[in-house]
Amino acid sequence: FAELQVVAPDDMEMEGTAVGTEGSGYNFTVNVSKVACASVVKYSAQNSQNQCQACLRNSPHCSWCQDRCVEQGDLANQNPSLTHQCQTKDCCPQSCTNRGICDMTGIPRCRCHWFYDGNDCAHVSSQGMVLVALAFFLCAVAALSLLYCSYRHRVHRHIRRATLEDLRRNLLGDYAPVDTDP
């Protein structure tokens, strides 16, 4: 029985097992448990558009920053101004501006909520514009209706008061009320 030893590069942790089967030799399995963030792109079989995915899926401590995979803590120490430009949870542009869901199957792209549009969900969609215009129109109609009703109520109240005043003057005449009590 031969003894096998797995030797990993310094930037990779791996373990291996060999299983012997009768008559067919050995099956050797190598499991890579961790790759240093800086080396993910080097070992990745992904094309350049999906290297971000390989980086972020490697470890929760990796960030994709300016076309390279780095440890989150290392980047903050090197250049704190770059940390806001790094992607830590997905590979979509600006994480879909929190207005959509990043679809990481194939080339990462944003699936925007119905109100937003664009490759990073930063713009209002045509459906959203129609809804905003409709809401504005309905609010304007409601406001104008209220103003018109208020105006008509004031005009009618003035007319009623004037009519009642005319009736009072005509019924009582121009006479002042006479006090009949001694």
Side-chain angles (χ1 to χ4, degrees):
F1 183 69
E3 185 174 314
L4 299 173
Q5 180 180 4
V6 176
V7 179
D10 292 339
D11 54 2
M12 186 182 295
E13 293 176 15
M14 61 173 61
E15 58 188 39
T17 57
V19 178
T21 57
E22 217 174 290
S24 63
Y26 290 96
N27 284 336
F28 187 71
T29 305
V30 175
N31 294 320
V32 177
S33 57
K34 184 180 179 194
V35 177
C37 293
S39 300
V40 168
V41 173
K42 178 170 72 173
Y43 294 117
S44 173
Q46 304 287 333
N47 62 28
S48 62
Q49 293 175 332
N50 293 342
Q51 289 175 347
C52 172
Q53 290 179 9
C55 172
L56 297 182
R57 288 181 178 160
N58 175 56
S59 165
H61 304 292
C62 293
S63 293
W64 185 251
C65 302
Q66 298 180 333
D67 297 329
R68 62 190 178 125
C69 190
V70 296
E71 293 278 340
Q72 290 178 9
D74 290 347
L75 182 71
N77 293 336
Q78 290 173 9
N79 191 348
S81 66
L82 290 179
T83 55
H84 70 279
Q85 298 173 4
C86 296
Q87 294 164 286
T88 58
K89 65 178 186 174
D90 60 50
C91 298
C92 288
Q94 298 179 3
S95 293
C96 301
T97 326
N98 293 325
R99 296 174 179 162
I101 298 169
C102 184
D103 182 3
M104 302 230 325
T105 55
I107 297 172
R109 66 186 195 101
C110 292
R111 295 199 185 274
C112 303
H113 301 308
W114 69 272
F115 194 79
Y116 298 102
D117 199 7
N119 66 345
D120 60 354
C121 302
H123 306 286
V124 177
S125 68
S126 56
Q127 297 157 324
M129 291 297 276
V130 168
L131 181 67
V132 168
L134 183 62
F136 178 77
F137 175 75
L138 290 175
C139 287
V141 167
L144 289 174
S145 296
L146 286 173
L147 286 172
Y148 179 72
C149 288
S150 174
Y151 169 76
R152 285 192 41 100
H153 178 71
R154 275 189 266 142
V155 167
H156 282 141
R157 183 174 52 190
H158 176 71
I159 291 171
R160 279 192 306 268
R161 281 186 183 162
T163 303
L164 287 173
E165 185 62 31
D166 286 346
L167 282 173
R168 185 182 66 76
R169 263 193 242 131
N170 288 336
L171 288 174
L172 297 176
D174 288 335
Y175 305 111
V178 178
D179 191 11
T180 55
D181 289 333

